Amino acid sequence: MLENLEKTQRIIKVAANSRTHAVAGAIAGTIREHRCADVQAIGAGAVNQAVKAIAIARNYLIGDGLDIVCGPELSEIDADGQRLTAIRFRLETRI
Amino acid sequence: MLENLEKTQRIIKVAANSRTHAVAGAIAGTIREHRCADVQAIGAGAVNQAVKAIAIARNYLIGDGLDIVCGPELSEIDADGQRLTAIRFRLETRI
């Protein structure tokens, strides 16, 4: 239960109007703490912001000696009864 | 020289109107042969198609026992004298 709660807290949701540097900061903070993070985006504008934020976060984390890679997945989600296809980026530190 | 040529051939350029399954097939083929590939996209629509194609290619490659991860980078490119920011996804097989 606690583990699921922690996992939920690591999902960073990105919108088309999210500021890339703010999202990048959230990603970098989560990676520093947990060594992994999930970023979710729905729609082309949101996916674009998410990818830019991940690229910026990679630069933020160089100073910590951390390199992140992501495995994007298509994920069906339910938003107010509507089925939507989200992109889920599973970020983890490179071993 | 030959190495540079080979590297150029591995850059898969994605546009907003690229068909995701066709791009996914190109990614999977390149990964099977070289174990790495570069995917480049400019603009939100193209980035979205690229990410979806990478997610689909990951499914294609499960049968080959291969899992790919990507490290997105912001990359400045020159297109007909215009400076544009491209997203470059460096794909590699997970060790």
Side-chain angles (χ1 to χ4, degrees):
Chain A
M1 182 64 188
L2 245 180
E3 201 175 301
N4 280 341
L5 185 66
E6 277 191 10
K7 208 167 175 182
T8 308
Q9 287 171 337
R10 287 200 299 266
I11 298 179
I12 297 161
K13 293 183 181 173
V14 183
N17 61 357
S18 295
R19 291 184 307 115
T20 49
H21 282 84
V23 176
I27 291 171
T30 306
I31 291 287
R32 283 187 191 106
E33 192 173 351
H34 299 287
R35 296 291 189 268
C36 62
D38 276 6
V39 175
Q40 182 178 289
I42 301 168
V47 168
N48 188 43
Q49 292 304 88
V51 170
K52 283 198 261 180
I54 294 167
I56 295 165
R58 293 185 76 212
N59 287 334
Y60 288 171
L61 290 164
I62 287 173
D64 301 272
L66 295 171
D67 186 20
I68 46 173
V69 288
C70 67
E73 291 175 7
L74 299 172
S75 153
E76 293 287 318
I77 64 159
D78 186 276
D80 297 329
Q82 205 187 343
R83 298 294 289 167
L84 295 176
T85 300
I87 301 280
R88 180 71 69 87
F89 298 90
R90 297 191 178 279
L91 307 181
E92 51 192 64
T93 51
R94 193 196 293 266
I95 301 162
Chain B
M1 181 66 185
L2 245 180
E3 201 175 299
N4 281 342
L5 186 66
E6 277 189 10
K7 208 168 176 182
T8 307
Q9 286 170 339
R10 288 201 297 267
I11 299 179
I12 297 161
K13 293 184 180 173
V14 183
N17 61 357
S18 296
R19 291 184 308 117
T20 49
H21 282 84
V23 177
I27 292 171
T30 306
I31 291 288
R32 284 188 191 105
E33 193 174 350
H34 298 287
R35 294 293 189 270
C36 63
D38 276 6
V39 175
Q40 183 179 289
I42 300 167
V47 168
N48 189 43
Q49 293 304 89
V51 170
K52 282 199 261 181
I54 294 166
I56 294 166
R58 294 184 77 211
N59 287 334
Y60 288 171
L61 291 163
I62 287 173
D64 300 271
L66 294 171
D67 185 21
I68 46 174
V69 289
C70 65
E73 291 175 6
L74 299 172
S75 155
E76 293 288 318
I77 63 161
D78 186 276
D80 298 328
Q82 205 185 344
R83 298 294 291 164
L84 294 175
T85 301
I87 301 280
R88 181 72 67 90
F89 299 87
R90 298 191 178 278
L91 306 182
E92 52 190 64
T93 51
R94 192 197 293 269
I95 302 162

